[in-house]
Amino acid sequence: MLKNFVKFFIRIIFKKPINYFLKKKNFLVIFRHGSAIGDHMYLSSVIREIYKLDKKIILFSNYYQIFLNNPKIYKLFKFGKKSFVWFFLRSLTCETILEFQSKYAIKENHEIKKKYFLYFHKKKIHLAQAASEHFNLGLNYKSLKNEFFLSEGEKRNFKNELNLPKKFALIQSVSKSSFTKNKEWTLKGMQHIVNHFNKISWIQIGLSSEPKLQNCEKYLDLDLRKLAFLISKCEFLVSYEGLFNHIASCFEKKNFLIHTGFLHEEAFYYKNNILIEKNKDLKCYPCYSMDCETHREECLKNITHDYVVKVIERNIN
């Protein structure tokens, strides 16, 4: 009750003068707070499109390090934990203060625990569009490309520190399962890829808490900027839908994306993707269900180890 009163008070007192000031100065405030790092990463593609409208972008993000050195951002601010600043901005949302978040992802009275929020959009769109279509800026979502700007000093330091092979490919062992297990293919399948392409120098990326692949170098628990540098230097990746896919878009790296059909392919597609999927044979595609009973079984039946290897073989030479 008190929270709603404070929110109402903020809107009454501050909304009109702040909106007027931002409009007059051609400023656009965008904010995003959340633990899903990929969401912040594909925000960069939306910033890229907004910049074309000659707006001065002021950005608030708790993953601010993604946006360092980005020349399209007028001013960058770091969010800590959800603070009064976040509450203040959310209370003032208007045409010049925008939250990068799907309206369905923040509603409290729908079945988001059973269905992923894209299900409620009722159309096949990219995650970046779902999070920003309420901006009403007429943005072009047809050729989304994320951006990550490394300084020359960072490139030199990371090159010396990581001591990378001249040529290498990246692979992850598992997808993020804390959210849903329906993005997962199979750990044995990932190991099969490494074993089959045994002349390639493989580097496993991800977290040290995740299962380890054999016959791989391990570059785990990297900070975001070091991870971006690593991806920028690889020959190609084998990944799931998620952060690595969104970063690969920045550098247009060939990404063999194992698509299990949890989301429609439009949700995370970039032109550098090579999708490995057989979703026309998946009864629930696109699934969107957080706990679909048949999804994983059907996925494993459709996407075999040999099928994945054949797709990669056709496209790496």
Side-chain angles (χ1 to χ4, degrees):
M1 190 74 174
L2 177 61
K3 186 177 179 181
N4 289 334
F5 173 77
V6 173
K7 188 174 183 178
F8 175 76
F9 178 79
I10 289 172
R11 291 183 70 85
I12 290 295
I13 299 298
F14 296 106
K15 182 177 177 180
K16 277 191 175 181
I18 290 179
N19 186 43
Y20 174 79
F21 171 80
L22 293 173
K23 211 177 209 180
K24 187 176 181 181
K25 297 293 184 179
N26 201 31
F27 288 131
L28 191 65
V29 176
I30 302 172
F31 66 100
R32 178 70 170 97
H33 196 293
S35 59
I37 309 174
D39 294 7
H40 300 256
M41 191 65 254
Y42 56 71
L43 167 55
S44 68
S45 66
V46 174
I47 288 172
R48 181 171 174 259
E49 293 303 317
I50 293 174
Y51 184 76
K52 296 174 184 177
L53 304 177
D54 294 324
K55 297 287 185 181
K56 296 176 184 175
I57 300 168
I58 300 173
L59 178 66
F60 291 80
S61 169
N62 58 305
Y63 283 104
Y64 73 101
Q65 55 269 59
I66 288 173
F67 305 99
L68 293 174
N69 304 322
N70 189 326
K72 298 177 175 63
I73 297 173
Y74 182 82
K75 193 72 176 177
L76 174 64
F77 293 97
K78 175 186 176 182
F79 267 141
K81 292 182 177 179
K82 284 189 177 178
S83 61
F84 181 74
V85 176
W86 176 83
F87 179 77
F88 185 77
L89 290 171
R90 226 182 195 190
S91 301
L92 290 177
T93 50
C94 58
E95 60 184 315
T96 56
I97 302 176
L98 303 165
E99 182 173 15
F100 185 72
Q101 178 96 310
S102 165
K103 61 182 179 180
Y104 296 107
I106 59 178
K107 285 178 70 175
E108 297 178 356
N109 60 346
H110 65 69
E111 297 181 338
I112 193 66
K113 292 183 179 179
K114 294 182 180 180
K115 290 285 189 181
Y116 190 60
F117 71 84
L118 273 181
Y119 169 82
F120 299 94
H121 281 267
K122 302 298 182 185
K123 52 185 176 181
K124 300 174 179 66
I125 56 175
H126 195 281
L127 287 158
Q129 182 174 354
S132 63
E133 60 182 355
H134 58 284
F135 287 9
N136 296 320
L137 294 172
L139 301 179
N140 179 13
Y141 297 102
K142 292 182 179 179
S143 56
L144 291 172
K145 180 183 180 298
N146 299 325
E147 295 186 311
F148 202 111
F149 296 90
L150 294 159
S151 69
E152 292 305 314
E154 285 178 309
K155 292 175 185 177
R156 287 193 299 270
N157 292 338
F158 294 156
K159 180 180 179 181
N160 293 333
E161 183 180 343
L162 294 175
N163 192 27
L164 297 170
K166 188 174 181 180
K167 289 186 177 182
F168 62 92
L170 300 176
I171 192 168
Q172 63 182 126
S173 64
V174 293
S175 68
K176 181 181 176 182
S177 60
S178 58
F179 171 64
T180 178
K181 293 183 178 179
N182 284 341
K183 291 184 181 181
E184 185 70 34
W185 179 48
T186 163
L187 177 62
K188 289 183 179 179
M190 291 302 205
Q191 186 63 62
H192 181 74
I193 293 169
V194 173
N195 293 345
H196 182 86
F197 298 101
N198 53 26
K199 292 184 180 180
I200 292 174
S201 295
W202 288 99
I203 292 177
Q204 180 182 340
I205 52 177
L207 302 176
S208 56
S209 59
E210 294 170 348
K212 309 298 188 299
L213 295 170
Q214 297 177 358
N215 306 315
C216 282
E217 293 292 325
K218 311 292 190 298
Y219 284 69
L220 306 173
D221 300 327
L222 296 178
D223 69 57
L224 284 170
R225 299 193 67 78
K226 206 174 292 183
L227 174 63
F229 175 79
L230 179 63
I231 290 175
S232 75
K233 294 300 179 184
C234 76
E235 294 293 304
F236 64 87
L237 303 85
V238 178
S239 79
Y240 292 106
E241 183 274 311
L243 176 62
F244 304 141
N245 174 50
H246 299 306
I247 297 179
S249 161
C250 301
F251 308 105
E252 297 185 347
K253 290 295 176 177
K254 185 181 293 185
N255 183 24
F256 294 99
L257 195 154
I258 299 176
H259 177 28
T260 63
F262 172 66
L263 302 179
H264 191 275
E265 65 183 63
E266 291 294 329
F268 50 81
Y269 184 77
Y270 304 102
K271 64 181 181 180
N272 56 295
N273 289 153
I274 297 174
L275 295 184
I276 302 177
E277 52 85 23
K278 280 190 174 181
N279 290 316
K280 66 179 184 301
D281 299 323
L282 193 65
K283 295 176 183 176
C284 60
Y285 176 71
C287 189
Y288 298 124
S289 176
M290 311 301 280
D291 54 2
C292 179
E293 294 181 1
T294 61
H295 181 90
R296 181 160 171 73
E297 181 183 344
E298 290 289 321
C299 170
L300 291 175
K301 184 170 67 176
N302 290 334
I303 306 177
T304 65
H305 296 182
D306 289 342
Y307 173 73
V308 171
V309 163
K310 286 178 181 177
V311 174
I312 296 173
E313 278 181 336
R314 285 200 305 266
N315 290 280
I316 59 174
N317 296 324

